[in-house]
Amino acid sequence: MANKLISEIPLPKSIANVFSARNVSTAKDALSLTEFELMELLDVGLTEVRSALSQISEIVAPPYQTALSLMEQRFQNEHLGGHFPTGLKGLDAALCGGIPFGVLTELVGPAGIGKTQFCLKLSLLASLPTNYGGLDGRVIYIDVESKFSSRRLLEIGLRSFPEIFQMKEMAQEMAGRILVLRPTSLAEFTQSLEQIKVSLLQNQVKMLVIDSMAALVSGEHEQGARRQQTLSWHISFIKSLAEFSRIPVVVTNQVRSRNHDDASRYCFQVQSRDGAIETPMQYDSHLVAALGIQWAHAVTTRLVLEAKSGERFIKVAKSPISPPLAFPFHITSSGISLLSDDGKEVMGPEINAIHYQGHNEIINFGMEGLH
Amino acid sequence: MEIWRLPISASQRGKLISAGYTSLSSLSSISSSDLARELKVSESEAMNILKVASHSRGSETSNASCSIVEVLDTFQWWAGAQSAWDMLHDEESLMHITTSSADLDNILGGGIHCKEVTEIGGVPGIGKTQLGIQVAVNVQIPNDFGGLGGKAIYIDTEGSFMVERAFQIAEACIEDMSEYNRFLRKDFQECKIKMLPQDILENIFYFRICSYTEQIALINYLDKFLSEHKDVKVIVVDSVTFHFRQDFDDMALRTRVLSGMALKLMNLAKRFSLAVVLLNQVTTKHTEASFQLALALGDSWSHTCTNRIVLYWNGNERYAYIDKSPSLRSASAAYSVTARGIRNSSSSCKRIKMM
């Protein structure tokens, strides 16, 4: 819509000619300038500029929908009103059905906690027919760090849905629906995004998994502002992919240790030291999610996986519908499963903290070959 | 009456005639500045000439024709200007939209103000979208319950609007209204509010924006939309930042476009007497050898909104701080996000803190 050509918009002949003469060919060009700048550029009066702009705006502006019709549309056309159940009952209940369609859901946690395991389980679930709780469609799995293990995928399938996976043809069919891409650089990933867009448009793909986003971006040599810009573009593109195709998009993220530079206060907070209850969070030994605050704003749901005193938890750190709950989980041969469906409510910004205590004991607990 | 009879100096008369003003009627419709320019005299001189001409005309025809000169004596000749006294009356009858948290409403002076642009910013997960949805629901509270009984426009730039959550909040709002009814009226037959959550959802106009061009186009188009839908009383933009944080290489252009947009929104707020709520994101800013959090979009943007509220974590509680307001004091209050929406914080410690 933004790239709509001015020539296609029904404007009075005179002003349309002026626009093309001055090389203002798309609506984006026209709307990026202020009224005054347009007057100067086109050498026409304010009323003409205003009327042209209002006509262009009317065409380019998206149509509206009432929230009621949005809800009705989603419940009629989409699986469970636009949610993909993960099979983890407590989590699905908290998320009002499951992972939401059309937006980004992030899985963040330290290495080896179970992010890839969760992604494998989700990919498998998505490929299953709807009567088994799946989306009955293809899955695109972008495997940046080469962690995807088909063997493990089939093991999960066999343990969780033996009736399907014991038959070789069915197992082949399901596993055949998961397409694994292994981009070796961000540029390659960017290219493949365009192709992904096409297959999404053809409606065959029902889920996109990116494992992991942080690895893609950190592999690049650019630093600082340019890196932020590249990331911004990708955030925007992936979000719009999710949006128009209305599929769940799951992205994993890494963690990094808390920097001295990490900001956590506003300027008005620094002054008011008396009376305010402030926990000195910067002295804690926990980790923070990588990719920065802009990324944190862009994801709609953030699931934090952490290890605390030898137990693993999956926490709903950011969600438009769920309260801040933490569920204990463990990894089994049939994938990931919750130890309790009753989440423990976590107060305050603690929900965002990522702990990594007592974790090594879990890794060495005889589960070799698992990531 | 002819020009040569006017009690003005000969040179002035000469200039009038050579400029083409031969009769009094030709002077009746010209302004003093135009006359000054044509005759190449000072404005006060031109004003004088016109005054004289009008007096002569008046005495001849005994017609109290209002000339420009007479109008100059009163103090209300600027179109759109209002005296401070008149404005006081307007300010006192200002409408508010409650946030459903009494503490928050208190520091806001009753709630989100109509006719003003309020910017609300905070870190991810603090409750900006929740507050946005709450306001879009609360604007629909009927007049009998102290609300505006209006409709809402929700402009979603990030896809964070969740219908199920809006339904939850609408349901809770209706339950609260029934509770209030029951408490106040004690008349059990009248307890049932006839509103349903679906009715509330029907009055939220949802727009999904996918680029900054669409954002600008929509705000331009709102002028026409609001003339057709006069009962809209709040516009929520969630968030105003997202599309402006990417795509812009030219920062100066971004500043110009943003300030143009803010002006249009302010204009809409004033003309249609509605509230505009802009949700903003957070970025880190390097000041005085340390990094601090600040609302995104830069320093120029921070000047454009009338009111600015920052949502932040204080210990384990969510707080709202009035960062900027022409009429409210800097204060902070605790609030919480519950299954029913935004409510007062449940902790018992002192909640409202004056800065």
Side-chain angles (χ1 to χ4, degrees), chain A residues 1-2 27-28 31-35 37 53-54 56-58 60-68 70-71 74-75 81 83 95-96 100 103 229 232-233 235-236 239 243 261-270 272 274-279 293-294 296-298 300 317-321 347-352, chain B residues 121-125 128 130 158-165 167-168 198 201-214 216-218 220-221 224-225 229 242-243 245-249 253 256-257 264 280-284 291-295 310-317 319 321 323 349 353 355:
Chain A
M1 257 309 170
K28 183 174 176 175
L31 291 170
S32 303
L33 298 170
T34 61
E35 284 173 354
E37 283 168 350
L53 277 181
S54 76
I56 298 175
S57 300
E58 192 168 344
V60 175
Y64 77 89
Q65 233 185 341
T66 61
L68 184 66
L70 191 69
M71 188 168 82
R74 294 215 176 142
F75 275 90
H83 295 278
L95 293 177
C96 202
V103 287
Q229 235 185 5
S232 312
W233 183 85
I235 293 176
S236 197
K239 275 187 87 133
E243 179 70 30
D261 292 344
D262 274 330
S264 65
R265 290 212 184 119
Y266 294 91
C267 52
F268 58 82
Q269 275 180 291
V270 178
S272 64
D274 50 283
I277 329 145
E278 321 221 41
T279 35
I293 203 164
Q294 198 183 353
H297 274 295
T300 306
K318 180 184 177 193
S319 162
I321 191 105
M347 298 307 248
E350 182 64 22
I351 190 78
N352 289 308
Chain B
V123 290
K128 304 184 292 293
Q130 303 296 310
E158 298 185 9
S160 23
F161 183 76
M162 210 174 181
V163 227
E164 292 96 332
R165 182 59 172 155
F167 189 90
Q168 253 183 359
Q198 284 86 340
L201 287 188
E202 204 174 15
N203 290 334
I204 301 179
F205 296 112
Y206 177 80
F207 289 90
R208 177 72 171 97
I209 300 276
C210 300
S211 70
Y212 79 84
T213 315
E214 281 188 16
I216 300 170
L218 179 60
N220 287 342
Y221 171 62
K224 184 165 176 202
F225 185 86
H229 295 88
F242 184 67
H243 293 294
R245 268 181 121 167
Q246 30 257 36
D247 279 355
F248 267 97
D249 301 315
L253 174 65
R256 287 200 298 276
V257 168
K264 288 200 197 92
N280 197 359
Q281 294 178 351
V282 145
T283 182
T284 49
F291 282 94
Q292 284 176 349
L293 291 173
L295 295 198
V310 178
L311 305 179
Y312 65 103
W313 283 109
N314 191 355
N316 275 348
E317 295 245 52
Y319 269 72
Y321 171 69
D323 193 36
C349 61
K353 194 160 95 76
M355 295 289 161

Side-chain angles (χ1 to χ4, degrees), chain A residues 198-266:
Chain A
V198 172
S199 43
L200 286 178
L201 280 170
Q202 290 169 345
N203 253 334
Q204 300 163 325
V205 178
K206 298 287 183 190
M207 187 164 93
L208 175 65
V209 179
I210 302 176
D211 179 17
S212 68
M213 192 72 199
L216 265 179
V217 176
S218 68
E220 300 303 296
H221 298 298
E222 304 163 344
Q223 286 301 321
R226 278 236 42 199
R227 181 162 139 180
Q228 269 300 95
Q229 235 185 5
T230 337
L231 182 62
S232 312
W233 183 85
H234 285 91
I235 293 176
S236 197
F237 193 84
I238 297 172
K239 275 187 87 133
S240 65
L241 271 185
E243 179 70 30
F244 78 79
S245 58
R246 292 293 302 166
I247 59 166
V249 175
V250 177
V251 183
T252 58
N253 192 8
Q254 293 168 346
V255 295
R256 58 173 175 81
S257 52
R258 221 193 149 95
N259 272 343
H260 174 67
D261 292 344
D262 274 330
S264 65
R265 290 212 184 119
Y266 294 91

Side-chain angles (χ1 to χ4, degrees), chain B residues 94-98 110 112-115 135 137-151 231-234 272-275:
Chain B
L94 202 60
M95 306 288 265
H96 309 282
I97 305 175
T98 172
I112 306 276
H113 292 209
C114 282
K115 290 198 182 178
V135 168
V137 166
N138 286 358
V139 73
Q140 300 181 41
I141 294 176
N143 289 323
D144 305 340
F145 292 87
L148 281 95
K151 301 192 179 175
D231 38 9
V232 170
K233 286 287 167 226
V234 73
F272 296 98
S273 297
L274 43 85

